[in-house]
Amino acid sequence: MIDIWQEIYGSIKRNKLRTFLTGFAVAWGIFMLIVLLGAGNGLIHAFEENSSQRALNSIRVFGGWTTKPYDGLKEGRYIQMDNRDLEDTESFFTDRVDEAGATLSQAATDISYGSEYVNLSLEGVYPNCTEVEPIRVCNGRFINQTDIRERRKVMVIHEKTAEVLFGKAHTDPIGKFVNAGGVAYQVVGVYRDEGNSQPSNVIIPFSTLQTIYNKGNYLNSIIFTTKGLETVEENERFEQDYRTVIGANHRFDPTDEGALWLWNRFTSYMQAMGAMGILRTAIWVVGIFTLLSGIVGVSNIMLITVRERTHEFGIRKALGAKPRSILWLIIVESVVITTAFGYIGMVAGIGATEWMNAAFGSQTMDAGMFETKMFSNPTVDIGIAIQATVTLIVAGTLAGLFPARKAVRIRPIEALRAD
């Protein structure tokens, strides 16, 4: 065994550059596979974290502009949704709608407490808003059904708003009254919203905003969660039925998708997951082909080695060396090169993903009014890295097997005549 290691060491020492270039191809292949998988995982993890903040079985509905003439009316009409649409959402789809609510906004309003003030929009919501949007109450409570029914003058403010209004006074905002455009509201809760980078809207009961600010029966959007809709096809059928019901209220063509905009988070999620699957497949394909280039390099160097050592192998066989010993010598050399450089590539790849995790592991994009995670936890499971390295070693062994078999088949007399 010692003799084999000495011969392998001598062969590598005589061909340092060639061995290094071949080993570099192997190391680079495993390195790129791990880095590409880590980068892909960073994008996928960020998307999954953003999706987990909202209920995937939720739909948000906005009025749009008609693009088709219908029932004697021309295209280009704006569809203003109202309370009747909310009532029909609950009454017509009891078997498919779990809980429905609506939103309504009031333009920027001065909100003050003592000498401190902010200028923010008021957002009228229903209690189900926390199920659909990434809103988490961190102090106090959220809007409840009693607030809606009694049109209470209560509000839930963002933690950044609370810091501006009550931070200097070191006062707990819960229970305090603030002035909002001449109307006194009691603060009942403080919330945080990971999707926003600036102080978010002040939340008040939907019915309160509709009454105090003379909004009539109009609303901005309807939000609800669904039940029993487990496939994209079922969601698409529901959307068409929903357009038919709302279309009857506002006299627009049910097939006119421009008249009513539905943001179905389930279908959006499934489409995005399909795109992520394609991304993951593409990364694996690129990585595997990169690995193959390293394997081909190992095979090539073994072929060259066999050719250069043909005379030597002929002498060995003439002196009685068994074909198995020559076969074993070449395969072991192939395994040594592949294993050593494959391990180096694996360690370097894992190190690179750990650096990406430290530098960009919670990367977010600030778009002014909101933040969204773009990169999160770009690491690769150690098991996958080891499996990829073992696969490379096995493939490298097979790559060395073919030139080894060629060497074994050389007749001694032909080998001795070789240059």
Side-chain angles (χ1 to χ4, degrees):
M1 180 61 69
I2 296 177
D3 293 338
I4 292 178
W5 288 110
Q6 288 177 341
E7 291 188 31
I8 292 174
Y9 174 75
S11 176
I12 293 175
K13 188 176 181 180
R14 288 192 301 271
N15 303 281
K16 295 178 183 177
L17 179 60
R18 190 171 63 203
T19 302
F20 171 77
L21 293 176
T22 303
F24 178 79
V26 173
W28 183 255
I30 194 70
F31 173 81
M32 286 303 299
L33 176 62
I34 294 176
V35 170
L36 287 172
L37 286 176
N41 286 339
L43 295 173
I44 293 171
H45 292 160
F47 170 74
E48 290 175 345
E49 288 183 23
N50 290 331
S51 299
S52 66
Q53 297 174 6
R54 298 174 172 86
L56 292 180
N57 63 326
S58 64
I59 296 179
R60 190 160 190 167
V61 186
F62 298 88
W65 298 85
T66 60
T67 59
K68 300 178 182 179
Y70 182 76
D71 198 21
L73 300 174
K74 294 183 178 181
E75 70 275 10
R77 292 183 298 120
Y78 176 68
I79 303 302
Q80 175 64 65
M81 305 186 73
D82 53 40
N83 290 346
R84 179 178 54 171
D85 299 322
L86 177 60
E87 295 168 0
D88 288 349
T89 300
E90 295 178 312
S91 60
F92 278 86
F93 303 100
T94 55
D95 59 332
R96 286 176 284 182
V97 173
D98 190 24
E99 186 177 0
T103 66
L104 185 63
S105 60
Q106 172 66 15
T109 304
D110 287 334
I111 301 169
S112 61
Y113 178 79
S115 60
E116 305 297 330
Y117 75 96
V118 293
N119 186 270
L120 297 171
S121 295
L122 302 179
E123 187 79 10
V125 303
Y126 274 73
N128 72 328
C129 184
T130 55
E131 298 180 12
V132 179
E133 299 299 333
I135 295 175
R136 300 292 177 266
V137 176
C138 55
N139 192 12
R141 66 172 178 85
F142 196 67
I143 304 299
N144 58 35
Q145 288 293 346
T146 304
D147 298 329
I148 299 291
R149 185 173 56 255
E150 298 181 1
R151 295 180 172 81
R152 290 177 172 176
K153 298 184 182 67
V154 295
M155 65 169 52
V156 181
I157 61 177
H158 193 273
E159 58 184 355
K160 294 180 181 178
T161 304
E163 183 179 350
V164 172
L165 294 179
F166 303 95
K168 291 184 178 180
H170 302 288
T171 304
D172 184 1
I174 304 302
K176 300 299 186 295
F177 285 86
V178 298
N179 186 302
V183 180
Y185 287 87
Q186 185 179 28
V187 178
V188 296
V190 178
Y191 75 96
R192 66 168 56 98
D193 182 355
E194 295 182 1
N196 287 334
S197 59
Q198 298 182 358
S200 296
N201 296 337
V202 173
I203 298 174
I204 67 174
F206 175 87
S207 56
T208 302
L209 192 149
Q210 219 177 29
T211 301
I212 291 180
Y213 300 97
N214 298 319
K215 298 293 184 178
N217 67 338
Y218 295 134
L219 53 87
N220 291 348
S221 68
I222 295 175
I223 55 176
F224 56 88
T225 52
T226 61
K227 54 185 178 181
L229 303 178
E230 299 178 353
T231 65
V232 174
E233 291 74 18
E234 290 175 346
N235 276 269
E236 289 176 347
R237 284 195 295 270
F238 168 75
E239 289 180 16
Q240 188 56 49
D241 293 340
Y242 190 82
R243 291 181 187 278
T244 300
V245 171
I246 305 302
N249 291 343
H250 299 277
R251 296 172 64 188
F252 65 80
D253 190 336
T255 64
D256 186 357
E257 296 187 358
L260 201 67
W261 186 62
L262 279 73
W263 181 16
N264 190 327
R265 288 196 173 109
F266 178 81
T267 55
S268 298
Y269 176 79
M270 294 303 294
Q271 292 169 357
M273 287 304 294
M276 292 297 172
I278 294 174
L279 173 63
R280 191 186 295 272
T281 301
I283 289 173
W284 272 104
V285 169
V286 173
I288 288 173
F289 275 99
T290 307
L291 286 179
L292 287 176
S293 67
I295 295 169
V296 170
V298 174
S299 180
N300 287 337
I301 194 173
M302 290 298 104
L303 283 170
I304 296 172
T305 299
V306 168
R307 183 175 179 180
E308 290 181 348
R309 300 175 68 183
T310 299
H311 192 78
E312 174 192 339
F313 293 151
I315 295 174
R316 286 174 177 268
K317 296 188 73 174
L319 294 175
K322 296 181 179 180
R324 184 174 60 182
S325 65
I326 298 175
L327 182 69
W328 179 249
L329 174 64
I330 298 174
I331 289 179
V332 170
E333 184 175 341
S334 173
V335 171
V336 168
I337 294 174
T338 307
T339 303
F341 285 94
Y343 178 78
I344 293 172
M346 182 188 72
V347 172
I350 293 175
T353 58
E354 291 298 330
W355 175 80
M356 285 193 297
N357 188 31
F360 312 106
S362 297
Q363 190 71 36
T364 60
M365 181 182 70
D366 189 345
M369 293 302 295
F370 66 91
E371 285 184 351
T372 182
K373 282 191 175 182
M374 299 299 295
F375 211 59
S376 177
N377 190 23
T379 56
V380 179
D381 187 273
I382 187 65
I384 295 178
I386 293 175
Q387 289 174 14
T389 305
V390 171
T391 301
L392 179 62
I393 293 171
V394 172
T397 303
L398 294 176
L401 178 62
F402 296 105
R405 291 178 61 188
K406 182 179 179 181
V408 169
R409 292 172 182 171
I410 298 175
R411 295 173 61 187
I413 189 65
E414 295 176 357
L416 291 172
R417 289 176 180 172
D419 295 333

